[in-house]
Every structure is written in structure tokens, then in C-alpha cells.
């Protein structure tokens, strides 16, 4: 099930995993879920790993690298003045 951007942001601001109430460790996941994600991805042939990762990001199961910073940082300079 895909997560909404609002729900994802709320969980990241609270420091919680996308899938449970454990503390977020990396890429929006707690240690347990991050290790499950990594083991599953690394068990695939190398030529399928990027597609798997992209599909998991699109489904909202894991965040893209660096995406937590975008969700949790309030940057007043991000908006482009036109």
C-alpha cells in the first residue's frame, strides 16, 4: 500500500519507521525493516536491484536516499522567487 506524502512526513517528523512504531534508522525504516529491505534487494541479481529499489520507493515502502532531509528540513530558500 502506498503511503501518502503527509503520512510519510508525519512519521519522519516523529522519528518513526514507515511500517511500525519503532524509531527510524535509515531511509524511513527502523533497523529491522531496513535490514529486511536490504537483504531482499541484495538477494536479487545485480541487474534487478535498481528496479526493485525504484519500485519500493514508488510504492512508499522506503524513502529515496536523502529524502528524509527534504521532508524534515524547513528550508525557506527552497522556493524559487519569480
Amino acid at each position: 500500500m502506498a503511503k501518502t506524502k503527509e503520512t510519510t512526513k508525519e512519521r519522519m517528523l516523529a522519528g518513526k519507521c514507515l511500517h511500525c512504531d519503532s524509531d527510524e534508522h535509515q531511509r524511513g525504516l527502523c533497523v529491522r525493516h531496513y535490514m529486511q529491505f536490504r537483504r531482499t534487494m541484495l538477494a536479487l541479481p545485480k541487474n534487478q536491484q535498481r528496479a526493485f529499489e525504484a519500485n519500493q520507493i514508488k510504492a512508499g515502502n522506503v524513502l529515496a536516499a536523502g529524502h528524509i532531509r527534504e521532508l524534515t528540513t524547513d528550508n525557506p530558500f527552497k522556493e524559487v522567487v519569480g
Side-chain angles (χ1 to χ4, degrees):
M1 172 199 291
K3 317 284 185 285
T4 66
K5 187 173 182 176
E6 292 79 25
T7 302
T8 300
K9 185 172 183 174
E10 289 170 6
R11 294 199 64 80
M12 291 302 91
L13 289 173
K16 298 298 179 185
C17 175
L18 293 173
H19 300 284
C20 69
D21 288 330
S22 295
D23 292 338
E24 188 271 335
H25 167 68
Q26 197 166 6
R27 297 185 67 177
L29 305 175
C30 63
V31 173
R32 176 178 164 240
H33 286 114
Y34 181 73
M35 292 308 297
Q36 287 177 341
F37 164 71
R38 292 285 298 163
R39 278 194 300 270
T40 302
M41 184 172 70
L42 294 174
L44 295 171
K46 283 200 180 267
N47 64 345
Q48 294 177 14
Q49 290 177 6
R50 285 190 183 209
F52 171 79
E53 181 179 23
N55 288 335
Q56 295 306 307
I57 291 168
K58 185 175 181 180
N61 291 324
V62 64
L63 298 180
H67 191 69
I68 293 172
R69 186 172 27 261
E70 292 174 24
L71 290 173
T72 59
T73 303
D74 187 21
N75 182 351
F77 305 104
K78 188 174 182 178
E79 297 296 320
V80 177
V81 178

